[in-house]
């Protein structure tokens, strides 16, 4: 199946996510799995049946907990909508309280320097609260109501700068947000990206931006 995301843990183990048939081990399909440093399937990663639908992105926190987002509606038989956090052993972190979660898929997940979590995708609510395809969560999974941003078209990629300013790419092109979600009007691209989508953003050592 299709692989959408690869994340490297601090111990060198690799987490891979994608479609529900992305990984097959012992005649079982997984949308997410962990591999040892030599490429073998990590059988100590205790996900049970895992996610029931596509995983689009994975982010490893500093404490080695694993943030996962995508189009799934359950993990190992437990209902959880499109955003979850796993413990380092692969079990569901029940201290991460997302309520009803997202009402539609998320494509990207990032963590800023304060541990807050940014989500971007095509969703329009988080835990029943109206959101415009981007949301920021507190470290416990609750909605950060101090972050106010709204996109009318899909968010595909998020990149956080060293000062925690936020670059957002999607079908609208690229926009820079301040830490509170307002638009940074000093970042001006003119009409250069208006006619096509931005799927990925990278920083060079001199802080110039590649899209």
């Amino acid at each position: 199946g299709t692989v959408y995301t690869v994340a490297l843990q601090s111990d060198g183990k690799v987490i891979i996510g994608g479609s529900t048939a992305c990984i097959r081990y012992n005649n079982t399909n997984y949308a997410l799995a962990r591999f040892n440093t030599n490429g073998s399937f990590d059988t100590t990663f205790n996900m049970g049946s895992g996610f029931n639908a596509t995983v689009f992105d994975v982010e490893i926190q500093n404490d080695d907990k694993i943030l996962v987002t995508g189009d799934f509606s359950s993990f190992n038989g437990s209902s959880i909508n499109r955003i979850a956090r796993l413990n380092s052993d692969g079990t569901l972190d029940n201290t991460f309280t997302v309520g009803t979660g997202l009402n539609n898929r998320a494509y990207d997940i990032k963590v800023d320097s304060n541990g807050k979590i940014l989500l971007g995708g095509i969703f329009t609510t988080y835990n029943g609260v109206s959101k415009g395809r981007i949301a920021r969560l507190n470290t416990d999974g609750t909605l950060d109501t101090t972050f106010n941003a709204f996109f009318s078209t899909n968010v595909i990629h998020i990149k956080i700068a060293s000062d925690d300013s936020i670059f957002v790419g999607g079908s609208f092109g690229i926009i820079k947000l301040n830490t509170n979600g307002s638009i940074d009007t000093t970042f001006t691209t003119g009409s250069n990206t208006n006619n096509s989508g931005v799927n990925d953003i990278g920083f060079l050592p001199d802080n110039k931006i590649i899209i």
Side-chain angles (χ1 to χ4, degrees), residues 19-185:
S19 64
T20 51
C22 174
I23 298 134
R24 187 167 177 83
Y25 179 78
N26 272 358
N27 296 317
T28 302
N29 292 330
Y30 296 95
L32 183 88
R34 188 167 70 188
F35 293 82
N36 297 306
T37 55
N38 66 355
S40 60
F41 190 89
D42 184 359
T43 56
T44 68
F45 197 56
N46 299 313
M47 300 183 301
S49 58
F51 293 100
N52 70 327
T54 302
V55 168
F56 284 116
D57 200 24
V58 172
E59 182 85 349
I60 311 295
Q61 294 187 168
N62 290 335
D63 60 2
D64 286 331
K65 289 188 177 184
I66 303 154
L67 292 160
V68 185
T69 196
D71 205 20
F72 50 83
S73 59
S74 73
F75 175 80
N76 194 25
S78 296
S79 177
I80 189 157
N81 287 319
R82 302 174 182 89
I83 168 72
R85 187 166 68 191
L86 307 183
N87 298 305
S88 58
D89 63 357
T91 57
L92 190 66
D93 180 3
N94 291 311
T95 68
F96 191 65
T97 54
V98 302
T100 57
L102 300 167
N103 71 325
N104 212 328
R105 69 181 58 171
Y107 290 119
D108 202 12
I109 187 166
K110 292 290 187 294
V111 179
D112 69 15
S113 64
N114 298 308
K116 292 194 174 185
I117 300 153
L118 277 156
L119 290 165
I122 65 176
F123 57 86
T124 55
T125 67
Y126 178 80
N127 195 20
V129 178
S130 178
K131 300 302 296 182
R133 297 167 180 82
I134 190 168
R136 189 167 68 190
L137 312 182
N138 298 307
T139 56
D140 62 357
T142 56
L143 188 66
D144 179 1
T145 56
T146 68
F147 182 79
N148 296 298
F150 181 92
F151 289 89
S152 59
T153 54
N154 299 343
V155 171
I156 305 299
H157 188 74
I158 297 169
K159 188 77 171 178
I160 301 175
S162 57
D163 63 355
D164 278 335
S165 59
I166 302 154
F167 292 84
V168 184
S171 53
F172 47 83
I174 183 170
I175 290 175
K176 183 182 180 183
L177 303 179
N178 299 306
T179 55
N180 64 357
S182 62
I183 295 174
D184 183 348
T185 56

